Amino acid sequence: MAERMLQFVRLDQRQPEKRAAATRRTDFDEIYREFTAEAASEQASRCSQCGVPFCQVHCPLNNNIPDWLKLTAEGRLEEAYEVASATNTFPEICGRICPQDRLCEGNCVIEKGFGSVTIGSVEKYITDTAWERGWVKPPKPRRELAQSVGIVGAGPAGLAAAERLRLRGYQVHVYDRYDRAGGLLIYGIPNFKLEKDVVLRRWKQYEEGGIRFHLNTAIGQDVSLAELRARHDAVLIGTGVYKARDMQAPGIGLDGIVPALDYLTTSNRTGLGESVAAFDSGALNAAGKHVVVIGGGDTAMDCVRTAVRQGAASVTCLYRRDKANMPGSMREVYHAEEEGVRFEWLGAPEAFRGEGTVKGVVAHRMHLGLPDATGRQQVTPVPGSRFELPADLVIMALGFDPEDLPTAFGEKDLPVTRWGTLKVDHRTMMTALPGVFAAGDIVRGASLVVWAIRDGRDAADQMDLYMQQKASPLAVAAE
C-alpha cells in the first residue's frame, strides 16, 4: 500500500505492457495487457494531488480523478470505483477509448520532464476489477415511478440517459434501428480498442435493471415520433450522426471507394460472428489489397489499423495537413506507425483512377499557411506537386454529418440548425416540441464518446425535472 502520493519524483511513467506490433497485427485483441494490482497502485501514487486538478478540469465529465487515483494508490479499489462511477456512466469504456493525451493526461501538471499520470489505464483497471468482483450492479431503483420515457438511440448518450433515469425509478424504453445496443461503440469502434464484450455486458445488465430495449426498430418506419410522444411522458433523441461526408472529384463513383463506417461496421459484424456478404465478396475486405484511407481523425486511424489486421498488401493514410495538425489522438497515430501504416502527410486527393474499379489515387501536395479565424492553419495546393498512390480499396474517413431527421421521423416541426443538427434550448436540452429532448452528437455534431455520455447524463437531469413539473407543478414551484 502506498504511504503517500507525489511518487512521480522516484517512479517513472509506465503504461500496461503493450503487445508487440508483429503480434497484434494478426488479431483484433486489445493491444494493452492488464495492469497488475501493484503496478496500478504505483502508477496512481505518482499523482501530485495538485490544488487545481487540470486533469479534472479538462475532462468533459469532470471526473474526480485525483480522488480515485489516491484511493487506488491506497488499495481501496471498491471506493475508487464508487468515485469513478459517480460521474461517469461507462468508466471502463472511457479508460479504453478516450483520447487521454488530449484531455486529462495531456493536461497533467507533472507531465513536463516526468511524464503524466497514466490516468486512462488506471481507470480501466479500477472498473475491470469492479466487474470481476461483482461491484457493478444493474440500475435498479429504490422505488418505481409510473412515468415512462422513450429514448431513441442506444449509443453512449442514450444509454447514459437511460441508466440515470432508470435509477430514479422511471420506466425506460430504448429504441434503436440496429440489432444490438451500443451504437458506434459496437459497430464503429474496432475490437483492438474496445472489445465488444465490454459493451454487451452493459446492455445485458441494463436489461436486468428493467430497461426495455426495442431493437430493429426504426423511428419513422416501425413507429412514428408522434406515437412515441403519445406513449411516453418524455422522449430523448440521441441518434448520433451517421451520414458520411463525401467529396466531389473525378472518379469518385468507382467501385472500391467506400465510406469508413460501412467498412468498420462490416469488420465489426464479422468479428461478432456474423456472415456479411460484402466482406465475403471482398468488397469491404482489405485482404491482399493496396488500401488508401483519406482523413486524419480517429475514424481514419481505426480504418488503417483494421486494414492491417485484415492482411492488406499495403496501407497508406493520406492527410492534407501535417502530423502536428492531426485531429485524432496522437497515441493512435503512434500505434498505427508501429503496425506498419504509411502516412502521406500534406497530401490531398484530386482524382481517382480506374476503369469500373479504383486502381489509384491521384493527389497533390499541400502547403500550410497562416491560421484562419478558428486558429487552424490554412492549406493550399503546391503547384506541380501531383503524385499517385496505388489503391484497390479507398476508404473515405472525412467525418460525419447528421441525417435528415425531420424527414426520417416524419416530423416536419422538429427544428434543426443550419448544420442539420437538432436545435435545442441549451439550458433545458429540449427541442421546440414539448417533452422532446435531444443529446449527444445529434446536437453538438460528431464528437467524442465522453461528450455524448456527459450530454446524456445532463439530458436525463432535465427530463427528470420536466416530468416532475409536469406531474406536480405546484409542488415543484413551492420548493
Side-chain angles (χ1 to χ4, degrees), residues 120-265:
S121 297
V122 174
E123 182 178 38
K124 174 179 177 289
Y125 168 77
I126 292 169
T127 321
D128 284 354
T129 302
W131 278 96
E132 291 168 8
R133 299 186 184 180
W135 300 336
V136 187
K137 303 296 183 185
K140 294 183 178 179
R142 293 182 179 179
R143 66 186 181 98
E144 298 285 350
L145 300 175
Q147 293 155 297
S148 72
V149 296
I151 295 176
V152 182
L159 293 180
E163 184 197 57
R164 203 161 176 84
L165 289 165
R166 181 62 191 142
L167 284 169
R168 295 177 185 180
Y170 293 102
Q171 309 308 306
V172 180
H173 296 256
V174 180
Y175 302 83
D176 198 278
R177 60 185 171 183
Y178 295 107
D179 55 347
R180 294 178 179 88
L184 289 179
L185 298 177
I186 282 286
Y187 292 124
I189 299 177
N191 270 29
F192 52 78
K193 286 172 62 176
L194 176 63
E195 292 183 347
K196 297 302 167 267
D197 286 346
V198 175
V199 182
L200 295 174
R201 69 187 178 189
R202 278 286 183 185
W203 169 25
K204 297 305 179 185
Q205 189 199 56
Y206 284 178
E207 287 186 321
E208 291 175 24
I211 297 174
R212 280 163 273 190
F213 287 85
H214 307 267
L215 303 177
N216 295 307
T217 302
I219 309 304
Q221 298 177 22
D222 301 306
V223 60
S224 69
L225 183 60
E227 288 177 275
L228 289 188
R229 294 180 68 193
R231 188 181 298 175
H232 301 292
D233 295 279
V235 174
L236 174 68
I237 300 174
T239 55
V241 292
Y242 283 81
K243 181 182 175 184
R245 288 182 188 156
D246 208 347
M247 64 176 291
Q248 297 300 316
I252 193 66
L254 291 170
D255 290 342
I257 302 176
V258 301
L261 190 55
D262 289 359
Y263 174 70
L264 293 173
T265 298

Side-chain angles (χ1 to χ4, degrees), residues 188 244 258-266 293 299-300 303 395-398 400:
V258 301
L261 190 55
D262 289 359
Y263 174 70
L264 293 173
T265 298
T266 297
V293 177
T299 300
C303 290
I395 302 171
M396 309 294 285
L398 303 175
F400 303 98

Side-chain angles (χ1 to χ4, degrees), residues 324-339:
N325 282 278
M326 288 281 283
S329 168
M330 198 54 61
R331 191 174 293 170
E332 290 297 305
V333 177
Y334 293 146
H335 295 331
E337 289 176 328
E338 288 175 343
E339 292 164 6

Side-chain angles (χ1 to χ4, degrees), residues 240-315:
V241 292
Y242 283 81
K243 181 182 175 184
R245 288 182 188 156
D246 208 347
M247 64 176 291
Q248 297 300 316
I252 193 66
L254 291 170
D255 290 342
I257 302 176
V258 301
L261 190 55
D262 289 359
Y263 174 70
L264 293 173
T265 298
T266 297
S267 177
N268 282 317
R269 283 192 177 277
T270 302
L272 286 163
E274 296 183 29
S275 177
V276 183
F279 182 86
D280 296 337
S281 70
L284 293 175
N285 184 350
K289 296 180 179 179
H290 296 286
V291 178
V292 175
V293 177
I294 300 173
D298 287 335
T299 300
M301 295 306 97
D302 292 345
C303 290
V304 294
R305 299 180 66 202
T306 295
V308 166
R309 285 157 174 78
Q310 289 180 347
S314 69
V315 182

Side-chain angles (χ1 to χ4, degrees), residues 342-354:
R342 174 188 169 199
F343 285 84
E344 283 285 354
W345 308 111
L346 294 168
E350 63 178 41
F352 301 92
R353 182 182 59 79

